[in-house]
Amino acid sequence: MATIKDVAKQAGVSVATVSRVINGIGYVHEDTRKKVETAITELQYTPNEVARSLYKRKSRLIGLVLPDITNPFFPELARGAEDEMQENDFRIIFGNSDEKLDKEQEYIQTFVQNNVVGLIASTNYPDTDTYRNLGIPVVFLDRTADNRPSVYSDGREGGRMAAREILARGSRRITVMRGPEHIRPAQDRFQGAIEKLKDQGIAYNVIHTSSFAFTEAGTWAKELFERYPDTDGVIASNDIVATAVLHEAQRLGKKVPDDVQIIGFDDISLSSLLTPSLTTIRQPAYDMGRAAARLLIQLIENKKVDQKTIQMPVTFTERDTTRKVEQQHG
Amino acid sequence: MATIKDVAKQAGVSVATVSRVINGIGYVHEDTRKKVETAITELQYTPNEVARSLYKRKSRLIGLVLPDITNPFFPELARGAEDEMQENDFRIIFGNSDEKLDKEQEYIQTFVQNNVVGLIASTNYPDTDTYRNLGIPVVFLDRTADNRPSVYSDGREGGRMAAREILARGSRRITVMRGPEHIRPAQDRFQGAIEKLKDQGIAYNVIHTSSFAFTEAGTWAKELFERYPDTDGVIASNDIVATAVLHEAQRLGKKVPDDVQIIGFDDISLSSLLTPSLTTIRQPAYDMGRAAARLLIQLIENKKVDQKTIQMPVTFTERDTTRKVEQQHG
DNA sequence: TTGTACGCGTTATCAT
DNA sequence: ATGATAACGCGTACAA
């Protein structure tokens, strides 16, 4: 690897001059600029980011902590963030936390050790010391902490929405699936759903789903129909779980949506490819990732930020695991 | 952020001594070690990886280039690689190439600029200068280049397997879906399938699927049944496409597997949750990721490597989009 | 307009 | 057993 010294020697100038042409800063004669530039291409020189980072005490690296990219919701967030960062010449160091504090902290430590200029984190522990006085801007993604920069969607409203729509379509023996307790958005949507249900005076059952893993989703689904076989409406904790419920319902010979209606959460890509295709509360994951990246870049560049917390809308995405609602009559 | 100097001052020793206790190298008196260690914890000192990296000309960072983590096959690879790397104190810088050479090269350049010690790449262009004389070990994942370190599975055999099994289960009007031309593994499995079909003297149709995106998968499925409505067996280019085909078949009122059998490729998590659940040729994605990481670590540490190219087995994973084969009679 | 020299935080060499 | 100091590659005062 050629260094700035090699270029200087080759061009017959000092390293300072080379540095100037690279960064386009300060005066430099047109002729010497040419010389330097040809030297650079001849030697295929590219600046050493590590040396730069050491001197400036900051890199072009961004840390990204996500729970688990094996859950299809998160790759969408990741791609949104990555694409936006890429376009702004930032690169991403990445880690899956599995929703565990120690893993998360381990990653964040190494991010900091590598001089990342900013952090995007989808964490359940935004209020730990880990994030206070980190010295670099942090944007929470898919999670919030009051008055800290964050991009998330309105889970509570999403929950209400799910309850409202499933009621409007005639389900009365509803089972709500409650996601993992330490995952905030999962609790928000659950709370929203039961809030609406209570509001309407509708009784409901609850099934606890202590993970979002594909491998375990089937278990919750089985448990659901064993414990509450007369369920005619399921508000699932997310699309993965909803998929498992749909699968199990069909295995039991139930007709969806005639016997059981199912509503998921997230709108991951596969949802529209199921049969029947999955009705769900959509979160604009990719856009959330982009928004988080944009917000972080603003923070990094000390731009004035119009809003520190961005709440994205959830939308009821009607497909075929719910019945068609009757036409309103005027 | 405290530096090694701060620690030295605090402990009343020189930076050299601090460095020794950190790295556990050379002699250092038990008492001074204690002093240094308490200073370290008091100041919450952690070494600056950037400075280390600059001096040593190598970091603890690994570059990972994948086509697109939005395709559920790749997060599995990524997690396998990440988990193995994490356990060995390496961290990952990541980029999605979208199978495009320029994006890929851009990422690799910044990886190199950041002193990564190794690279895991799922590339269609292993033989470009980008990878020759990079100066750091590279492991190709899910792709091969002759005699270069790589971890992949036997796509050709997988294709043959798919053809053999669908024939054994009675399909005779088979449509084979051919994946994107520039993606090697897609072509391998396609070639394997038609090889077997020709071998058995069975005619077949071909549908071209020029991407693996969820959003486009539906298009190929529609095209398939419009052009070849009497198809009674589909060998899909991967599980995403297979899912779309299943969806479309059901939309058209076809019974799966009675009217049409479908075989996918990869065995992504959702496949077992479809109804009917998807028969597929499984690649052990997570293990492939791990194996690639292990191989790369060996290369980095200059260990003698038992085998540079690791071919993982594909397995026929029989589920419900294929008919049960008749019992063999003795 | 250009060059010299120092510092960023480490590690390693060489004295002591 | 410990300390001074030169490098690693770059950017920037300051001098020329």
Side-chain angles (χ1 to χ4, degrees):
Chain A
M1 284 268 62
T3 77
I4 198 172
K5 269 187 192 164
D6 302 328
V7 176
K9 192 178 297 176
Q10 174 97 347
V13 298
S14 78
V15 294
T17 305
V18 178
S19 178
R20 284 189 202 98
V21 340
I22 293 171
N23 300 295
I25 282 170
Y27 303 93
V28 43
H29 192 88
E30 191 52 34
D31 298 349
T32 58
R33 151 166 287 120
K34 289 274 187 248
K35 281 195 298 185
V36 171
E37 277 166 353
T38 61
I40 285 177
T41 54
E42 279 175 24
L43 273 57
Q44 300 197 58
Y45 167 78
T46 57
N48 182 320
E49 280 299 324
V50 175
R52 271 192 172 160
S53 170
L54 179 60
Y55 180 84
K56 299 189 149 187
R57 289 206 200 74
K58 54 183 182 182
S59 67
R60 299 291 292 176
L61 261 22
I62 300 288
L64 174 63
V65 184
L66 254 30
D68 181 14
I69 49 166
T70 267
N71 174 338
F73 175 68
F74 293 109
E76 295 288 335
L77 290 180
R79 288 258 13 196
E82 184 204 339
D83 289 355
E84 183 75 29
M85 283 302 175
Q86 177 70 8
E87 289 166 15
N88 289 275
D89 289 323
F90 289 101
R91 300 294 176 269
I92 285 182
I93 319 188
F94 176 77
N96 288 293
S97 69
D98 290 320
E99 312 271 10
K100 300 211 190 82
L101 183 55
D102 56 339
K103 275 196 152 193
E104 179 178 324
Q105 288 178 329
E106 199 175 351
Y107 272 117
I108 287 170
Q109 192 193 18
T110 68
F111 293 169
V112 170
Q113 289 176 333
N114 282 283
N115 278 2
V116 299
V117 270
L119 219 59
I120 298 181
S122 181
T123 178
N124 299 305
Y125 316 94
D127 288 316
T128 49
D129 286 343
T130 320
Y131 293 102
R132 304 224 165 278
N133 291 37
L134 240 190
I136 53 172
V138 180
V139 170
F140 295 106
L141 177 55
D142 184 46
R143 316 281 157 116
T144 343
D146 33 42
N147 210 29
R148 313 272 292 286
S150 48
V151 175
Y152 61 104
S153 64
D154 192 344
R156 195 168 197 101
E157 172 58 18
R160 275 188 230 113
M161 200 179 267
R164 186 194 321 133
E165 300 295 344
I166 211 167
L167 287 175
R169 286 163 180 74
S171 287
R172 284 301 175 271
R173 296 182 304 281
I174 294 173
T175 300
V176 186
M177 305 186 81
R178 175 180 198 160
E181 259 151 19
H182 58 299
I183 302 181
R184 254 301 284 285
Q187 293 312 307
D188 287 351
R189 62 188 76 153
F190 173 75
Q191 293 300 338
I194 62 171
E195 174 186 324
K196 188 73 184 179
L197 258 15
K198 282 179 177 159
D199 205 52
Q200 302 291 311
I202 306 285
Y204 57 88
N205 296 310
V206 175
I207 286 285
H208 207 98
T209 68
S210 56
S211 94
F212 281 153
F214 273 102
T215 47
E216 302 195 61
T219 318
W220 324 130
K222 283 204 200 326
E223 186 185 341
L224 189 159
F225 290 113
E226 275 167 19
R227 289 181 48 189
Y228 309 115
D230 65 340
T231 293
D232 73 347
V234 177
I235 297 175
S237 37
N238 73 0
D239 282 359
I240 294 177
V241 176
T243 303
V245 170
L246 173 59
H247 184 74
E248 178 67 7
Q250 291 180 119
R251 196 183 70 81
L252 294 171
K254 292 174 188 289
K255 295 237 180 305
V256 178
D258 298 336
D259 301 338
V260 195
Q261 300 193 91
I262 302 170
I263 296 189
F265 210 103
D266 286 347
D267 193 21
I268 58 183
S269 297
L270 89 95
S271 301
S272 59
L273 288 182
L274 296 176
T275 306
S277 57
L278 185 67
T279 295
T280 190
I281 307 298
R282 167 168 233 274
Q283 295 192 69
Y286 183 84
D287 292 335
M288 288 168 66
R290 276 223 182 242
R294 255 195 314 272
L295 179 53
L296 182 56
I297 291 171
Q298 289 179 342
L299 260 18
I300 290 170
E301 294 174 347
N302 267 318
K303 297 244 176 75
K304 65 173 186 329
V305 177
D306 8 85
Q307 36 173 349
K308 276 171 55 175
T309 72
I310 302 176
Q311 195 186 57
M312 312 282 278
V314 293
T315 49
F316 177 65
T317 304
E318 181 171 24
R319 289 200 274 252
D320 302 330
T321 53
T322 46
R323 298 169 211 131
K324 298 307 158 217
V325 72
E326 282 167 33
Q327 206 77 17
Q328 295 288 80
H329 295 285
Chain B
M1 282 271 61
T3 75
I4 198 172
K5 271 187 192 166
D6 302 327
V7 176
K9 192 177 298 174
Q10 175 97 348
V13 297
S14 77
V15 294
T17 304
V18 178
S19 180
R20 282 189 203 101
V21 340
I22 294 169
N23 299 294
I25 283 171
Y27 303 93
V28 40
H29 192 87
E30 192 51 33
D31 297 350
T32 58
R33 151 166 287 123
K34 289 274 185 244
K35 282 196 296 187
V36 171
E37 278 167 354
T38 60
I40 286 178
T41 54
E42 277 175 27
L43 273 56
Q44 301 197 57
Y45 166 78
T46 58
N48 182 321
E49 281 298 325
V50 176
R52 273 192 173 160
S53 171
L54 178 60
Y55 182 84
K56 298 190 150 187
R57 289 204 201 73
K58 55 184 183 181
S59 66
R60 298 291 292 179
L61 260 24
I62 300 288
L64 174 64
V65 185
L66 254 28
D68 180 15
I69 50 165
T70 267
N71 174 338
F73 176 69
F74 293 109
E76 296 287 336
L77 289 181
R79 288 259 12 201
E82 184 204 339
D83 289 354
E84 183 75 29
M85 284 302 177
Q86 177 70 9
E87 291 166 14
N88 289 275
D89 289 322
F90 289 102
R91 299 294 177 269
I92 284 181
I93 318 188
F94 177 76
N96 288 292
S97 69
D98 289 320
E99 313 271 9
K100 300 212 190 81
L101 184 54
D102 57 338
K103 275 196 152 194
E104 179 178 325
Q105 287 178 329
E106 200 175 349
Y107 273 116
I108 288 170
Q109 194 194 17
T110 70
F111 292 169
V112 171
Q113 288 176 335
N114 281 285
N115 278 3
V116 298
V117 269
L119 220 60
I120 297 180
S122 181
T123 178
N124 299 304
Y125 316 95
D127 289 315
T128 49
D129 286 343
T130 320
Y131 293 102
R132 303 224 164 279
N133 292 38
L134 241 191
I136 53 172
V138 180
V139 170
F140 295 106
L141 178 54
D142 186 44
R143 316 283 156 116
T144 343
D146 31 44
N147 210 29
R148 313 271 294 284
S150 47
V151 176
Y152 61 103
S153 64
D154 192 346
R156 196 167 196 104
E157 171 57 18
R160 274 189 231 112
M161 200 178 269
R164 187 195 321 136
E165 300 294 344
I166 210 166
L167 286 176
R169 285 162 181 73
S171 287
R172 283 302 175 271
R173 298 181 305 280
I174 294 173
T175 300
V176 186
M177 306 187 79
R178 176 180 196 159
E181 260 151 17
H182 57 300
I183 302 181
R184 255 299 288 285
Q187 293 313 306
D188 288 350
R189 61 189 78 155
F190 173 74
Q191 294 301 338
I194 62 171
E195 175 187 324
K196 186 76 187 176
L197 258 17
K198 281 179 179 158
D199 205 53
Q200 302 290 312
I202 307 285
Y204 59 87
N205 296 311
V206 174
I207 287 285
H208 206 99
T209 68
S210 57
S211 93
F212 280 152
F214 273 101
T215 48
E216 301 194 62
T219 318
W220 324 131
K222 282 202 198 329
E223 186 185 341
L224 188 159
F225 290 113
E226 275 167 18
R227 289 180 49 190
Y228 310 114
D230 65 341
T231 293
D232 72 347
V234 177
I235 297 175
S237 37
N238 73 1
D239 282 358
I240 295 176
V241 176
T243 303
V245 170
L246 174 59
H247 185 74
E248 178 67 7
Q250 292 180 118
R251 197 184 68 82
L252 294 172
K254 293 176 188 286
K255 296 237 181 305
V256 178
D258 299 335
D259 301 339
V260 196
Q261 301 192 92
I262 302 170
I263 296 189
F265 209 102
D266 286 349
D267 193 22
I268 58 183
S269 298
L270 89 94
S271 302
S272 59
L273 289 181
L274 297 175
T275 305
S277 56
L278 185 66
T279 295
T280 191
I281 307 297
R282 168 166 232 274
Q283 295 192 68
Y286 182 83
D287 293 335
M288 289 168 67
R290 277 226 183 238
R294 254 194 315 270
L295 178 55
L296 183 55
I297 291 171
Q298 289 179 342
L299 259 19
I300 289 170
E301 294 175 346
N302 268 317
K303 296 246 175 76
K304 66 175 188 324
V305 177
D306 8 83
Q307 35 173 348
K308 277 172 56 176
T309 71
I310 302 176
Q311 195 185 56
M312 311 282 276
V314 293
T315 49
F316 177 65
T317 303
E318 181 171 23
R319 289 200 274 251
D320 302 329
T321 55
T322 46
R323 297 169 214 133
K324 299 306 158 215
V325 72
E326 281 166 35
Q327 206 76 16
Q328 294 289 81
H329 293 286

